Amino acid sequence: MTSLRSRLAATSARQELWRATRTRMRAGLYMLPTVAQGAIPLITLKVFSQVLTKTDFGVWGVCAAFAAMASGIANLGLLVGYERNYYEFTDEQGKARLLYSVVAFAFVAQLIGLAVVIVVARTAATRLLSSPDQSHLFVLAYATAAVPSMKAYFLVLLRNENRAREYVHFSVDELVLGAIFSIIAVVGLHLGVAGMFGGPLLASTIVFTVLVTRSVMTLRPAFGRKELADTLRVSLPLAPRVLIGAVGNQLDRLVLGAIGSLEAVGVYTVGQRVATIVFAYMTALQNVYQPSVYRMLFADGAGAARNIGKFLAPFAYASVAAAFVMVLFAADILRAAASAQYAAAASVLVLFTINYALMFFGKQPQLTFAKRTWLVSVLSVFSVLMNAGCVYAGARIGGPVGAATGLLIANVLTGAASFVLAQRFAPIAYPPAQTVLVFGSLPVAALFSYGLTASHAHWALQAVVKIGLVAGYVVWGWRAGIFAALWSSLGRASAPPPELQEAV
């Protein structure tokens, strides 16, 4: 009898271990697109920087900023509303009505946006590029931004349903295809800046078409006015924020181009492009933990603040880890990833990396959960005004590095204001000492990075110091128990929601 009980206990333990391992593997799958998003821009940048000039990168940066601004405005904040309302439906029919109603509305909005861009493209090209003949680049750039924005609804569906393999499959396929098509267009067909937009556009269109086809086959199309109206009630108060935020997020390159030169925008864009690797990595982590944060906000009531803070703390450590490495090795990464003419972008890379790392707090959906989306819009107005003033002043004083410094200062100030308000309506109790140490490591890394570069010390000595600092960050995390906490949080974040537990 005892032997049978022991065997049953051992079998149960093995099954529990397998379930825990499988859920963490699901979380690991969400990180695969980050690997692709990190490697592919570095590979393509190495290729493009040998073929395209700084002015070409400046043209690409201006057109991409304009397109992201226009497409973001056309989105009307619908993705935020869709993700929030998804958790209010447990039946397939309700989820289908929500998805297809929102997607149809968003598609019409993007078509209207495309029509507006076609009308203003020639004027924009004349004023921003001093070349009306390049107006087609604005239209192409808009399409390149609009198609992925439509695809995002289906990826959110896959993520929220813990269909990690499909989520990763479609995300990585798009990145790989986009890189291949871009290289063929730029290097093989000599399409220049147009090829940098055309490649990702073709890849996104293919993946979006497949996603829609698969969704229609598995989730029968249905439309509901109520579902759309409920989403719009959450999203439309965000419209001013989306409008202002879309302008604010892209304003830096447009301002720099207006008072500087396209070459300055090119250097700025290259630094930002590499730093985006950290942002993509943080977004991938967000894809792992955010569904659980929403579920905890809805379910935990009064205990949510402490529970969510404890849950998120190891993800903050993991997010900053990538930024810490990027800041330390900024100059080395630029030398490996781009031609020598872009060496000045290393300082821009450091500043943008710190900026993206600090966005961790702003990624939490506290105000959206509390239905204070109007407050988000007010904060966005404040953010744009701060960004415009600080970027303008910085660009005047120090060109691309000054613009990046101004943007960092503006985002620190507006981020602090946003954090204080978010804590008032849906507080999250982050562990204070650990949080200060984690984010305080970034200025330390920046000081060492600048100091070692300025000292002109032998590369081997610099490498030893930098590797030692990274090792210290890892050892501290291990001894502080953060790795064990991260393992636990990954298991909780990647576990299926209660309604899907039986299926798993």
Side-chain angles (χ1 to χ4, degrees):
M1 185 70 178
T2 302
S3 177
L4 177 61
R5 189 179 295 113
S6 298
R7 286 199 299 272
L8 289 174
T11 301
S12 176
R14 284 196 296 270
Q15 290 175 343
E16 184 62 31
L17 177 61
W18 168 241
R19 280 195 294 268
T21 302
R22 187 168 55 178
T23 57
R24 289 176 175 86
M25 287 173 62
R26 187 182 296 111
L29 281 174
Y30 282 118
M31 302 304 296
L32 286 180
T34 304
V35 176
Q37 284 178 309
I40 288 174
L42 291 178
I43 295 170
T44 55
L45 179 60
K46 188 67 175 179
V47 174
F48 294 154
S49 66
Q50 305 297 327
V51 178
L52 303 176
T53 66
K54 286 189 284 188
T55 299
D56 290 330
F57 269 103
V59 170
W60 179 83
V62 169
C63 292
F66 178 89
M69 180 176 65
S71 178
I73 292 170
N75 267 321
L76 298 174
L78 282 168
L79 187 62
V80 175
Y82 169 72
E83 183 170 10
R84 186 206 180 278
N85 286 355
Y86 170 87
Y87 293 98
E88 295 190 355
F89 295 93
T90 57
D91 61 298
E92 292 298 312
Q93 190 175 15
K95 291 178 180 179
R97 289 195 302 268
L98 175 66
L99 174 65
Y100 292 113
S101 300
V102 172
V103 168
F105 189 92
F107 183 72
V108 173
Q110 289 294 343
L111 285 179
I112 294 172
L114 177 61
V116 172
V117 170
I118 291 173
V119 171
V120 304
R122 189 170 182 83
T123 301
T126 302
R127 295 190 176 182
L128 297 176
L129 305 179
S130 300
S131 176
D133 294 336
Q134 292 184 300
S135 60
H136 65 285
L137 293 177
F138 287 95
V139 179
L140 192 58
Y142 179 85
T144 305
V147 175
S149 74
M150 296 301 305
K151 179 202 65 183
Y153 295 96
F154 296 93
L155 290 182
V156 166
L157 175 67
L158 295 178
R159 187 192 71 191
N160 288 351
E161 291 185 349
N162 276 276
R163 293 157 64 181
R165 291 184 183 277
E166 293 175 72
Y167 178 92
V168 171
H169 174 68
F170 289 112
S171 300
V172 173
D173 282 358
E174 179 186 5
L175 291 168
V176 173
L177 286 174
I180 293 172
F181 294 156
S182 294
I183 292 174
I184 291 173
V186 173
V187 179
L189 301 178
H190 305 289
L191 295 179
V193 178
M196 293 181 69
F197 290 120
L201 174 59
L202 179 58
S204 296
T205 302
I206 292 171
V207 171
F208 175 64
T209 303
V210 175
L211 275 169
V212 172
T213 303
R214 285 172 60 94
S215 180
V216 168
M217 293 173 62
T218 58
L219 193 64
R220 179 177 296 180
F223 301 89
R225 293 181 180 179
K226 181 180 181 301
E227 288 75 13
L228 177 59
D230 288 343
T231 303
L232 289 174
R233 271 193 286 271
V234 175
S235 301
L236 287 183
L238 283 173
R241 181 261 182 186
V242 171
L243 169 62
I244 297 166
V247 173
N249 290 338
Q250 310 303 327
L251 191 64
D252 50 351
R253 280 178 282 180
L254 299 178
V255 168
L256 183 58
I259 66 175
S261 66
L262 287 175
E263 284 197 356
V265 178
V267 171
Y268 187 88
T269 300
V270 167
Q272 184 183 31
R273 182 182 175 93
V274 179
T276 303
I277 297 168
V278 171
F279 185 79
Y281 166 76
M282 291 177 63
T283 301
L285 281 177
Q286 182 186 9
N287 290 336
V288 174
Y289 66 69
Q290 184 147 298
S292 291
V293 171
Y294 263 121
R295 285 194 290 268
M296 292 166 74
L297 284 167
F298 275 106
D300 285 359
R306 184 175 181 278
N307 292 338
I308 298 174
K310 185 177 180 181
F311 170 76
L312 286 174
F315 287 107
Y317 174 88
S319 296
V320 172
F324 186 81
V325 173
M326 182 71 80
V327 168
L328 276 177
F329 291 92
D332 309 279
I333 292 169
L334 256 298
R335 279 195 294 270
S339 59
Q341 62 178 325
Y342 297 99
S347 295
V348 176
L349 171 57
V350 169
L351 293 165
F352 260 107
T353 300
I354 295 174
N355 189 14
Y356 287 144
L358 294 176
M359 288 182 181
F360 176 84
F361 300 103
K363 284 178 172 287
Q364 310 316 322
Q366 293 157 272
L367 292 176
T368 302
F369 165 77
K371 294 186 177 180
R372 295 296 196 279
T373 47
W374 64 270
L375 189 54
V376 177
S377 296
V378 173
L379 287 168
S380 296
V381 173
F382 175 57
S383 176
V384 168
L385 293 175
M386 287 295 298
N387 285 359
C390 291
V391 169
Y392 180 83
R396 281 287 189 189
I397 296 170
V401 176
T405 303
L407 185 65
L408 175 60
I409 293 171
N411 283 338
V412 167
L413 295 175
T414 56
S418 177
F419 178 77
V420 169
L421 289 171
Q423 290 294 90
R424 177 181 177 183
F425 293 105
I428 293 177
Y430 297 98
Q434 180 179 317
T435 303
V436 170
L437 286 172
V438 166
F439 287 92
S441 68
L442 292 173
V444 173
L447 288 174
F448 272 95
S449 179
Y450 288 131
L452 289 170
T453 301
S455 70
H456 301 292
H458 192 274
W459 67 267
L461 176 60
Q462 294 191 39
V464 168
V465 174
K466 292 175 182 178
I467 292 172
L469 288 169
V470 173
Y473 186 88
V474 172
V475 169
W476 169 70
W478 183 272
R479 292 176 63 88
I482 297 175
F483 279 80
L486 179 61
W487 180 254
S488 175
S489 291
L490 281 173
R492 183 171 181 178
S494 53
E499 64 269 18
L500 298 180
Q501 289 283 0
E502 293 300 321
V504 175

